[in-house]
């Protein structure tokens, strides 16, 4: 464990634009909810369990993190907020906290929901004079991450998103750092820009002994959150760890309803006659599941979701207030207040069964998934009998008319009639 190195303060970085997280980037990606709580809640709770006493959150000028966290309480944990007016990099974000940091401190991304597990790993017998500790993991996709140049377990440099063939190692940095205030002296010397944090780290590590602890688990079992489809990993991790087999006393369960596996049913849920629920599943407050519907395998329904009669939901996430009628919805993600007409179907596999790709910021990206349905932003409406092809992204406030086949991504506020 990290006990002899563990500080009392942690800085959570939550001011980025989340541009790669479209169509859910109207607010910071760590505010996306799984099992009734935003992802950043799990990160903060993990820090608290690890013994952190004070958390400093760097957020954007919209203060969306602060507004959301007012709904939650963390006993014996002090939370402070710092504003980064423009999202111009992690280095600038961390620099704004320097006057609040007294000694060694943790820095981590807001969606690092497994931080408690990371901080409770068995550590090498590091010398107490070591200045910094980073955390890494083997990856098959070095072009997506900051990659570590290593000499043994000492980190010499971080190379951000290296080109193929230029990777310094196969170890990515997972977004948890143990640093000390001397780091800021090197920030003054680094070039300013989006990657000035990584450059500062590289300058710092030339003069200061910084070691790495490598997570000994497969990459696919570790939740990261760069793109929307990574939410499926987040959901699985959180459900496997925190989901409870409970049914609220005031939930109304109709006749001939089948509930199998681990299923968490919250207050005022109505499950009508003939429905089948196969866990792991989370069903939030005031949800309604219609007659003879099937909800199965890692389904997350946030508060006030309506699943109509004769629908099948598999491995999907519905944010608050979204409604569907009959149809099939597999391996899909729906933002808040989406309305989906009867008979709509999400295709979730290619005919040739190859990996599914999609466009992100104009660039074709492989999701590395062979099963992916639709990803729909908040307040979008889909008409009856619509067919949605695999890996389609639909923006916020879109309207898709009845009986259409959607084969391409739709930008925000698109009307397809």
């Amino acid at each position: 464990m990290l006990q002899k190195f563990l500080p009392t303060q942690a800085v959570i970085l939550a001011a980025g634009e989340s541009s790669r997280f479209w169509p859910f980037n109207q607010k910071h990606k760590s505010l996306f909810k799984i099992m009734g709580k935003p992802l950043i809640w799990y990160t903060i709770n993990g820090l608290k369990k690890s013994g952190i006493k004070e958390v400093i959150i760097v957020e954007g000028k919209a203060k969306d993190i602060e507004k959301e966290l007012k709904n939650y309480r963390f006993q014996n944990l002090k939370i402070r907020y710092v504003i980064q007016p423009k999202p111009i990099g992690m280095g600038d974000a961390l620099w704004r906290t320097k006057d609040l940091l007294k000694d060694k401190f943790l820095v981590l991304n807001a969606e690092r929901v497994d931080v408690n597990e990371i901080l409770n790993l068995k550590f090498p017998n590091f010398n107490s004079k070591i200045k910094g500790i980073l955390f890494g993991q083997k990856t098959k996709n070095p072009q997506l991450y900051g990659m570590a140049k290593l000499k043994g377990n000492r980190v010499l440099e971080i190379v951000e998103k290296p080109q193929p063939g230029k990777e310094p190692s196969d170890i990515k940095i997972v977004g948890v750092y143990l640093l000390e205030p001397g780091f800021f002296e090197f920030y003054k010397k680094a070039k300013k820009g989006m990657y000035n944090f990584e450059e500062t780290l590289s300058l710092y590590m030339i003069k200061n002994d910084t070691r790495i602890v490598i997570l000994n688990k497969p990459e696919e079992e570790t939740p990261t959150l760069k793109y929307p489809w990574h939410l499926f990993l987040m959901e699985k991790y959180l459900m496997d760890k925190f989901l409870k087999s409970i049914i609220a006393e005031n939930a109304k369960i109709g006749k001939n309803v089948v509930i199998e596996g681990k299923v968490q049913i919250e207050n005022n849920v109505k499950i009508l006659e003939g429905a089948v629920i196969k866990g792991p599943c989370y069903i939030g407050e005031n949800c309604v599941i219609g007659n003879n519907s099937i909800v199965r395998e890692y389904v997350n329904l946030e508060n006030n979701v309506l699943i109509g009669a004769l629908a099948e939901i598999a491995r999907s996430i519905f944010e608050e207030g979204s409604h569907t009628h009959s149809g099939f919805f597999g391996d899909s993600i729906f933002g808040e207040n989406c309305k989906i007409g009867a008979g709509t179907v999400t295709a979730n596999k290619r005919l040739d069964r190859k990996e599914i790709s999609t466009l992100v910021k104009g660039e074709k990206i492989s999701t590395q998934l062979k099963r992916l349905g639709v990803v729909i932003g908040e307040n979008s409406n889909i008409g009856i009998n619509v067919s949605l092809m695999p890996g389609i992204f639909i923006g916020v406030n879109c309207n898709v008319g009845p009986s259409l086949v959607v084969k391409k991504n739709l930008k925000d506020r698109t009307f397809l009639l």
Side-chain angles (χ1 to χ4, degrees), residues 15-21 25-29 87 194 361:
E17 289 182 312
S18 303
S19 58
R20 289 174 295 188
F21 206 59
N25 61 338
Q26 283 65 50
K27 53 189 176 182
H28 195 268
K29 60 186 176 181
M194 288 301 296
K361 300 174 70 173

Side-chain angles (χ1 to χ4, degrees), residues 32-35 37-43 111-114 221 223 231-244 262 264 280 298 300:
F32 198 96
K33 288 186 177 179
I34 299 292
M35 294 171 53
K37 295 181 176 67
L39 296 175
I40 193 172
W41 182 93
Y42 295 99
T43 303
E111 65 280 1
R112 198 73 258 174
V113 298
D114 57 347
E221 294 180 12
L231 285 165
F232 295 120
L233 274 180
M234 286 280 178
E235 177 196 36
K236 184 178 187 305
Y237 177 86
L238 292 172
M239 284 192 173
D240 288 349
K241 196 168 184 67
F242 298 114
L243 189 70
K244 301 175 182 177
K262 189 177 285 189
Q264 185 168 335
Y298 290 103
N300 184 87

Side-chain angles (χ1 to χ4, degrees), residues 167-230:
E167 306 89 348
S169 72
D170 61 352
I171 303 297
K172 69 177 181 179
I173 303 300
V174 301
V176 181
Y177 314 83
L178 175 64
L179 300 171
E180 48 86 28
F183 174 87
F184 295 111
E185 293 302 315
F186 292 85
Y187 175 80
K188 296 175 185 177
K189 304 172 186 176
K191 294 179 182 179
K192 301 303 178 280
M194 288 301 296
Y195 298 126
N196 56 7
F197 177 79
E198 290 80 6
E199 183 173 342
T200 303
L201 265 180
S202 293
L203 293 173
Y204 178 82
M205 291 184 297
I206 292 172
K207 299 290 185 180
N208 296 277
D209 191 352
T210 303
R211 301 297 171 127
I212 193 165
V213 176
I214 298 175
L215 280 62
N216 187 25
K217 60 190 299 188
E219 183 179 21
E220 57 270 19
E221 294 180 12
T222 303
T224 60
L225 198 60
K226 287 187 177 291
Y227 300 111
W229 57 88
H230 291 156

Side-chain angles (χ1 to χ4, degrees), residues 178-371:
L178 175 64
L179 300 171
E180 48 86 28
F183 174 87
F184 295 111
E185 293 302 315
F186 292 85
Y187 175 80
K188 296 175 185 177
K189 304 172 186 176
K191 294 179 182 179
K192 301 303 178 280
M194 288 301 296
Y195 298 126
N196 56 7
F197 177 79
E198 290 80 6
E199 183 173 342
T200 303
L201 265 180
S202 293
L203 293 173
Y204 178 82
M205 291 184 297
I206 292 172
K207 299 290 185 180
N208 296 277
D209 191 352
T210 303
R211 301 297 171 127
I212 193 165
V213 176
I214 298 175
L215 280 62
N216 187 25
K217 60 190 299 188
E219 183 179 21
E220 57 270 19
E221 294 180 12
T222 303
T224 60
L225 198 60
K226 287 187 177 291
Y227 300 111
W229 57 88
H230 291 156
L231 285 165
F232 295 120
L233 274 180
M234 286 280 178
E235 177 196 36
K236 184 178 187 305
Y237 177 86
L238 292 172
M239 284 192 173
D240 288 349
K241 196 168 184 67
F242 298 114
L243 189 70
K244 301 175 182 177
S245 291
I246 58 171
I247 300 175
E249 291 184 3
N250 58 4
K252 296 181 179 179
I253 312 297
K255 293 182 179 180
N256 301 318
V257 169
V258 175
I259 299 176
E260 296 179 354
K262 189 177 285 189
V263 178
Q264 185 168 335
I265 299 175
E266 300 289 5
N267 290 321
N268 300 311
V269 168
K270 295 180 181 178
I271 303 179
L272 303 185
E273 292 79 2
V276 176
I277 316 295
K278 293 188 176 184
C281 290
Y282 173 85
I283 303 174
E285 294 183 357
N286 306 309
C287 287
V288 177
I289 297 176
N291 300 81
N292 302 306
S293 285
I294 300 174
V295 177
R296 61 183 176 87
E297 302 171 40
Y298 290 103
V299 169
N300 184 87
L301 307 180
E302 291 298 317
N303 296 345
N304 304 304
V305 168
L306 169 64
I307 305 298
L310 302 171
E312 181 178 0
I313 315 295
R315 301 172 302 276
S316 292
I317 300 171
F318 288 74
E319 290 296 274
E320 295 183 3
S322 286
H323 293 184
T324 73
H325 293 279
S326 61
F328 172 72
F329 308 95
D331 305 281
S332 297
I333 308 172
F334 299 85
E336 295 180 8
N337 302 312
C338 291
K339 303 296 184 286
I340 314 298
T344 291
V345 171
T346 62
N348 61 343
K349 289 186 178 182
R350 290 169 50 113
L351 288 175
D352 59 10
R353 298 307 193 251
K354 291 183 178 180
E355 287 183 355
I356 296 168
S357 296
T358 191
L359 287 176
V360 178
K361 300 174 70 173
E363 181 183 358
K364 188 176 181 180
I365 299 288
S366 173
T367 66
Q368 300 185 335
L369 299 174
K370 293 186 177 181
R371 194 167 56 190

